């Protein structure tokens, strides 16, 4: 009898706790008051006039204020610290692809002392099909909590996490590339997603505030994007990832596939002597793939291509263990590479 009672109370307690997670889901979310509304927006405006212009950033010409139009965000989860994960639908102006994007901002983003500061953006890519959802937007994996705890511990920057869908369907992998005749997923990730972030958030103009993280197929795409666009992105945390493009859709398009091959891209960057990019591989000691990472590091970890490998003890090929690796050192690593916000004195 006591055991049954404990079980019943435990289930009830868990249900109440879980209900708190979902409190407010589906409701509109605003991540800031400094985002210009879309033309024709019926959002309320103080005094019936246009919104007040945001205060200009001070001290750092690299700060980019939101340019709008603002997206329509709906809450999908609430964290214990009150921060929100929200989703919007984005029609990519440059790729022509339309898909879902999830966003999380740290609590510092809404604090007064940071209101004129930019924040670094970490584009988080899932493995698997990466469609129709991005599993990094699931609070149970703990990515957002890891960032928040790192900020409090002084080991992580307060990143804006942008979590787009990786593929346009569940049937194929598109290698985060513009495969001829297919949806332009390379342009979606390299241009539309950063443009979306700049429209809605205080970001940095330079690549010093832009990076990727990803697991499995998402790790490959993140690394490939950084090597392909070193003028836009500076670093990547690539967990349990692949090294070469392997989409079956490349058949008949060898030249285009070569242009999306990290090995060829790294060699090109080395031959050009920069700019510098930073790759942090994460691999669990209970998964395969480290040999490929070591080989890539031996061949291409030179000159402007800076490569480190982090072992996750007893780690397997899953998001929970990759987040643990990030907490154990990878978040601190990428935080030393990128630029962080500066609070205003006073």
């Amino acid at each position: 009898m006591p055991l049954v009672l404990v079980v019943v109370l435990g289930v009830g307690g868990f249900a109440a706790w879980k209900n708190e997670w979902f409190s407010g889901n589906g409701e509109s979310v605003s991540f800031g008051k400094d985002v210009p509304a879309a033309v024709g927006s019926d959002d309320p405006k103080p005094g019936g006039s246009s919104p007040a212009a945001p205060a200009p950033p001070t001290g750092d010409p690299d700060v980019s204020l939101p340019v709008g139009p603002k997206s329509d965000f709906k809450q999908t989860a609430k964290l214990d610290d009150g921060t929100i994960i929200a989703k919007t639908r984005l029609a990519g102006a440059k790729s022509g692809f339309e898909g879902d994007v999830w966003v999380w901002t740290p609590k510092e983003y809404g604090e007064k002392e940071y209101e004129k500061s930019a924040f670094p953006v970490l584009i988080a890519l899932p493995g698997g099909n990466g469609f129709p959802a991005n599993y990094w937007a699931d609070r149970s994996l703990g990515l957002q909590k890891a960032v928040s705890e790192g900020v409090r511990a002084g080991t992580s920057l307060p990143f804006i996490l942008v979590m787009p869908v990786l593929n346009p369907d569940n049937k194929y992998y598109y290698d985060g590339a513009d495969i001829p005749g297919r949806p332009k997923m390379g342009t979606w990730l390299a241009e539309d997603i950063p443009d979306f972030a700049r429209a809605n958030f205080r970001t940095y103009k330079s690549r010093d505030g832009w990076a990727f993280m990803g697991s499995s197929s998402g790790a490959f795409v993140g690394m490939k994007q950084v090597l392909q666009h070193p003028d836009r992105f500076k670093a990547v945390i690539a967990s349990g990832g692949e090294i070469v493009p392997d989409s079956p859709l490349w058949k008949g398009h060898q030249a285009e596939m070569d242009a999306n091959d990290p090995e060829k891209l790294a060699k090109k960057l080395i031959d050009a002597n920069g700019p510098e990019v930073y790759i942090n591989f994460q691999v669990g000691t209970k998964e395969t793939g480290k040999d490929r990472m070591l080989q890539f590091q031996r061949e291409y970890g030179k000159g402007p291509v800076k490569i480190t490998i982090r072992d996750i003890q007893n780690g397997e090929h899953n998001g929970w263990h990759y987040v643990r690796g990030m907490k154990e050192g990878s978040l601190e690593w990428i935080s030393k590479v990128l630029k962080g916000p500066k609070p205003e004195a006073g």
Side-chain angles (χ1 to χ4, degrees):
M1 180 64 180
L3 179 61
V4 174
L5 180 62
V6 168
V7 171
V8 170
L9 288 175
V11 171
F14 176 73
W17 179 43
K18 197 167 184 180
N19 283 339
E20 181 62 26
W21 287 7
F22 300 114
S23 174
N25 280 6
E27 295 180 0
S28 293
V29 173
S30 175
F31 287 106
K33 299 178 180 178
D34 50 1
V35 187
V39 175
S41 170
D42 57 1
D43 288 348
K45 298 173 176 59
S49 61
S50 299
T58 58
D60 188 356
D62 198 21
V63 174
S64 176
L65 295 175
V67 297
K70 63 181 178 180
S71 298
D72 179 22
F73 292 102
K74 302 294 184 184
Q75 178 181 314
T76 60
K78 180 185 291 185
L79 274 65
D80 295 339
D81 65 357
T83 57
I84 299 296
I85 301 172
K87 180 176 76 171
T88 191
R89 188 78 173 172
L90 175 65
K94 295 177 179 175
S95 68
F97 172 72
E98 182 175 329
D100 289 337
V101 184
W102 291 259
V103 172
W104 174 82
T105 59
K107 66 180 184 64
E108 288 79 11
Y109 188 83
E111 294 177 348
K112 185 172 179 58
E113 59 265 41
Y114 289 99
E115 66 182 4
K116 296 181 183 179
S117 177
F119 281 68
V121 175
L122 193 57
I123 302 172
L125 304 179
N129 290 319
F131 179 91
N134 182 322
Y135 54 60
W136 294 119
D138 186 334
R139 60 164 283 165
S140 67
L141 283 177
L143 175 59
Q144 295 78 15
K145 184 178 180 182
V147 172
S148 294
E149 290 177 347
V151 173
R152 290 197 297 271
T155 56
S156 176
L157 295 176
F159 294 100
I160 296 171
L161 297 180
V162 179
M163 300 159 279
V165 292
L166 179 62
N167 291 303
D169 56 54
N170 276 322
K171 189 174 182 181
Y172 297 112
Y173 296 113
Y174 290 70
D175 283 339
D178 291 357
I179 300 175
R182 306 289 177 173
K184 295 182 177 181
M185 302 314 292
T187 300
W188 163 255
L189 294 170
E191 299 191 49
D192 288 332
I193 294 303
D195 285 351
F196 154 81
R198 293 186 189 98
N200 287 280
F201 303 98
R202 301 187 304 277
T203 59
Y204 287 108
K205 297 174 185 177
S206 74
R207 72 184 193 120
D208 291 340
W210 296 86
F212 281 91
M213 64 148 286
S215 53
S216 196
S217 57
F220 162 81
V221 173
M223 178 175 68
K224 190 266 297 187
Q225 287 285 353
V226 169
L227 290 168
Q228 197 171 38
H229 304 290
D231 57 326
R232 304 176 196 175
F233 310 107
K234 192 174 185 180
V236 59
I237 299 173
S239 302
E242 301 297 327
I243 303 297
V244 297
D246 60 2
S247 172
L249 301 174
W250 286 119
K251 187 175 181 180
H253 304 290
Q254 185 65 45
E256 291 86 351
M257 184 175 77
D258 288 347
N260 286 272
D261 187 330
E263 293 182 343
K264 291 177 171 59
L265 290 166
K267 184 179 185 305
K268 181 179 178 181
L269 198 55
I270 292 167
D271 291 345
N273 197 31
E276 291 185 346
V277 296
Y278 297 81
I279 299 169
N280 181 63
F281 287 120
Q282 288 197 138
V283 60
T285 58
K286 290 186 175 182
E287 65 174 323
T288 61
K290 186 176 180 180
D291 56 337
R292 297 191 297 270
M293 297 175 184
L294 286 168
Q295 182 178 349
F296 189 86
Q297 184 183 46
R298 283 193 298 268
E299 295 188 17
Y300 304 106
K302 63 185 76 170
V305 184
K306 313 297 184 182
I307 300 175
T308 58
I309 300 175
R310 171 168 294 279
D311 290 328
I312 304 171
Q313 295 303 315
N314 297 312
E316 299 176 354
H317 194 76
N318 65 62
W320 290 279
H321 291 175
Y322 296 144
V323 169
R324 176 159 62 84
M326 293 177 74
K327 292 169 68 174
E328 291 172 352
S330 293
L331 271 175
E332 185 171 12
W333 170 87
I334 202 167
S335 294
K336 290 178 178 178
V337 171
L338 297 181
K339 188 173 183 177
K342 299 291 190 293
E344 243 189 343

